Each structure stands twice: as structure tokens, then as C-alpha cells.
Amino acid sequence: MLSDQTFSRYSRQIALSEIGEQGQKRLLNAHVLIIGCGGLGSAAALYLAGAGVGRMVLVDDDTIESNNLHRQVVYRSKDVGRSKTKAMADQLTALNGDVQLRGLNHRLDDTQLSMEVMLADIVLDCSDNIETRHLINQVCYKQKTPLISAAAIGWQGQFAVFDYSDTNGCYRCLYPFDQLNHDTNCQSMGVVGAVVGILGNYQALAALQMLALDEFIVATSQLHLFDGKTMSWQTVAISRDSFCSVCGNLDNRLQVMDEEMQ
């Protein structure tokens, strides 16, 4: 049974037939790993904390700069120079003191990432580089932990949900290369803050589906592309690559590994 105070706080969620008290209990017992505390992580973490997710682990090795504030809305001007994980934890605690928060102010190596993914019910990839995304994808696939990925640049954004209990493609099937041929970060190309917020909110919404309902309603293994200028979405199916070094056929994967070692 939820306490009267807890029931009152989340009553608007509990009123939804899909969630109810049981769904709220699942949220209160949930454990989410958020990798990246920038614009995507800011939006996602705020809504997950507001919804009553019980435990969140925040991972980022960066400090706050003034040019972050237009899109990383969890922070305040007084936070410039502070660790992102610590400043975010303070804001989330102010929003919902019942959420248990743990911040990791460094990049995770393979071993620690594997441990954190093992402890989590779901992972949100809010990182800003393809090397990290590939590592997160590889660990989540190996441990069959659901992964929600998003990215944004300029007026464009993309979003995908991977439920690794199925046999569909993974993030590497979508992006088989390890490096980008050109510089595509916010510093060089710019980004509209609201676009980042939309994608981060989509990550939070997909996470709430899985955590509260114990299943995704949104289709998995699909790439959702957002155009902030026209405010339109396109959806593309992500096909499994039989030669994918993460989720492909074992014989094909061994062939790829041999080629990479040569």
C-alpha cells in the first residue's frame, strides 16, 4: 500500500488506468542509469525524478559552463564551474527528496560500466560521442538491459529504443562505424536547446513505459528522426546486421573480429 502522502503526490499518474498503484510502486522501486548529464540527461532526469523513480545513477565527468545553460535546464547560473553530477543531484533532490541519487563524476571503464548496467533496470544513453554509445550498446546487449538512446544537433534530433530481449538490431547495426568523419558536436555546429529537451523527454517517457508498465508501448528497434524546423517526425526500421560485431551471427562476428585484428 502507498502512504497517503505518496498517493497524493503521484495521484495524477496513478489515475491513469495503465499505471495505477502497482505501476507507481514499480516506479518507486526502479533503478535507472543515466549516462551523460548534458541537455538530454537534464530533461530526462527531471521528469524521471518528478515521476517518482526510486533510484538514479548519474554519470558525467564534466563541469558546468555558462554556454551549457541554454539547453541543460537542470542547472542554474550559480552552478557554473561545479560538477554536473553534483549540481544535478542537488536539483533533483530539491524536486523530489525521496529519490536516491548516486553521482559518478568520471568516465566509466568497461568493468564499472558492466557493473552499473547489471544493477540498473534500464539505461538512458545521453552521452555526446559515438565511442561511448558503442560501449554502452555492447554492454546493454550482453546483459539484455533495455537501452534508450537519443542525440540532437542543430535543429535535428533522433531517438531509439532497444529492447535486447528481442532479436532485432542494436545501435551498432545502425551506426557500424567507430568514428565520425567530421566534427558534429554542439560547439562546432550549434544546437537549439528546445530540440534537446524534446529528445530527452522522449527518453524519459519511454523509460516510464517500461518501468511502470513492465513493457514498452513505443515500437523498439526503430529510429525516430525529429526535424525542429518543421516539427515533424520520420520513423525508420532498424534492421539487424548479420555481420554486426555485437548482435550478428556468431560465425560472422568472429569473421569481423578476425578482420579487425589483422
Side-chain angles (χ1 to χ4, degrees):
M1 289 287 293
L2 299 175
S3 68
D4 290 344
Q5 182 179 3
T6 301
F7 188 94
S8 176
R9 181 180 185 112
Y10 304 110
S11 59
R12 299 302 187 269
Q13 283 181 174
I14 293 171
L16 295 170
S17 59
E18 298 90 345
I19 296 180
E21 286 196 53
Q22 289 303 315
Q24 189 60 53
K25 288 179 182 177
R26 283 193 286 266
L27 289 175
L28 294 171
N29 291 324
H31 183 138
V32 176
L33 175 61
I34 299 178
I35 302 176
C37 296
L40 296 168
S42 291
L46 282 168
Y47 274 97
L48 292 176
V53 169
R55 285 166 289 174
M56 284 194 279
V57 177
L58 313 173
V59 182
D60 201 301
D61 66 344
D62 205 359
T63 57
I64 302 162
E65 300 178 14
S66 61
N67 58 26
N68 298 149
L69 299 177
H70 88 286
R71 67 192 184 280
Q72 300 178 14
V73 294
V74 72
Y75 307 120
R76 301 295 176 260
S77 295
K78 63 181 177 59
D79 292 324
V80 171
R82 295 187 66 199
S83 158
K84 287 186 176 180
T85 56
K86 293 179 181 178
M88 180 179 283
D90 287 347
Q91 290 293 331
L92 298 181
T93 298
L95 173 63
N96 190 345
D98 293 331
V99 179
Q100 299 178 35
L101 298 163
R102 181 161 55 89
L104 300 174
N105 188 31
H106 58 271
R107 295 200 176 196
L108 305 184
D109 59 25
D110 295 16
T111 300
Q112 188 171 14
L113 178 60
S114 296
M115 181 184 69
E116 295 296 342
V117 170
M118 179 183 65
L119 294 172
D121 297 311
I122 200 164
V123 176
L124 272 62
D125 181 357
C126 304
S127 64
D128 62 358
N129 66 88
I130 196 166
E131 294 86 356
T132 299
R133 291 172 190 159
H134 277 317
L135 180 58
I136 294 168
N137 172 72
Q138 180 178 341
V139 174
C140 286
Y141 178 81
K142 183 178 180 180
Q143 301 198 20
K144 305 304 179 188
T145 301
L147 170 63
I148 304 174
S149 175
I153 199 75
W155 293 86
Q156 312 296 318
Q158 63 180 45
F159 161 82
V161 175
F162 300 95
D163 182 0
Y164 289 136
S165 62
D166 60 33
T167 57
N168 293 323
C170 72
Y171 185 85
R172 181 168 279 279
C173 295
L174 181 62
Y175 294 108
F177 40 82
D178 291 310
Q179 294 181 342
L180 297 176
N181 293 327
H182 54 281
D183 200 1
T184 55
N185 57 40
C186 295
Q187 181 177 353
S188 62
M189 298 189 64
V191 63
V192 178
V195 171
V196 183
I198 288 169
L199 274 298
N201 283 336
Y202 262 67
Q203 287 182 282
L205 184 57
L208 291 173
Q209 288 182 4
M210 172 55 81
L211 297 173
L213 312 181
D214 202 28
E215 63 178 352
F216 289 113
I217 298 175
V218 63
T220 60
S221 295
Q222 290 189 348
L223 181 65
H224 303 266
L225 301 170
F226 178 68
D227 186 331
K229 291 182 178 179
T230 61
M231 298 191 183
S232 59
W233 288 89
Q234 290 182 309
T235 302
V236 180
I238 300 173
S239 300
R240 186 178 185 181
D241 180 358
S242 61
F243 283 89
C244 175
S245 60
V246 174
C247 71
N249 176 274
L250 179 58
D251 291 337
N252 293 340
R253 288 160 62 185
L254 292 174
Q255 177 182 336
V256 171
M257 290 174 64
D258 288 340
E259 291 175 353
E260 290 177 345
M261 293 175 65
Q262 291 177 359

